[in-house]
Amino acid sequence: MSQVGSQFLNIKAQGTFCKVSVTVKNVTKSAHTFHADGTLTAQDASGREYEADGEAGIYGNSDGQGFLDEINPGNAVTANVYFDVPKGTKLKTITFDAGLFTLAEDAVVTL
């Protein structure tokens, strides 16, 4: 898709937007903040890495999901995440960065 949002409030892609729907569940014993922009990256078969487009995420989630969500233990959030990629790009993997202050490994999902 070349743009995300409504007719009046939207953002246009440099290339094309690739939308990925993700569900993040808090399996710890305390609340944590989830922010898709900066936490999720996508990779193509050539190893190029793409950052999530935070502005597209704001326009592409009518309820604001994926933007600084506070998730309590046991709860989950589902959000649309958008990557602005060159036309014709096929994503191979999505990586969830576990963060600098955890002992957990990053989660990598093959598409």
Side-chain angles (χ1 to χ4, degrees), residues 4-74:
V4 175
S6 70
Q7 178 182 357
F8 302 106
L9 297 172
N10 60 64
I11 183 172
K12 294 185 186 329
Q14 292 172 347
T16 188
F17 284 120
C18 180
K19 179 175 93 171
V20 178
S21 180
V22 297
T23 300
V24 177
K25 182 175 183 179
N26 183 350
V27 296
T28 69
K29 294 183 179 183
S30 60
H32 289 280
T33 301
F34 169 65
H35 184 55
D37 188 11
T39 303
L40 294 170
T41 56
Q43 300 76 31
D44 65 16
S46 299
R48 294 182 293 187
E49 186 169 281
Y50 304 94
E51 299 288 328
D53 188 311
E55 190 174 357
I58 291 170
Y59 290 120
N61 288 287
S62 60
D63 52 6
Q65 297 291 57
F67 181 74
L68 298 176
D69 290 310
E70 188 75 18
I71 307 173
N72 283 316

Side-chain angles (χ1 to χ4, degrees), residues 38-41 94-100 102 104-107:
T39 303
L40 294 170
T41 56
I94 303 290
T95 301
F96 180 88
D97 184 352
L100 296 173
T102 69
E105 292 185 26
D106 293 350

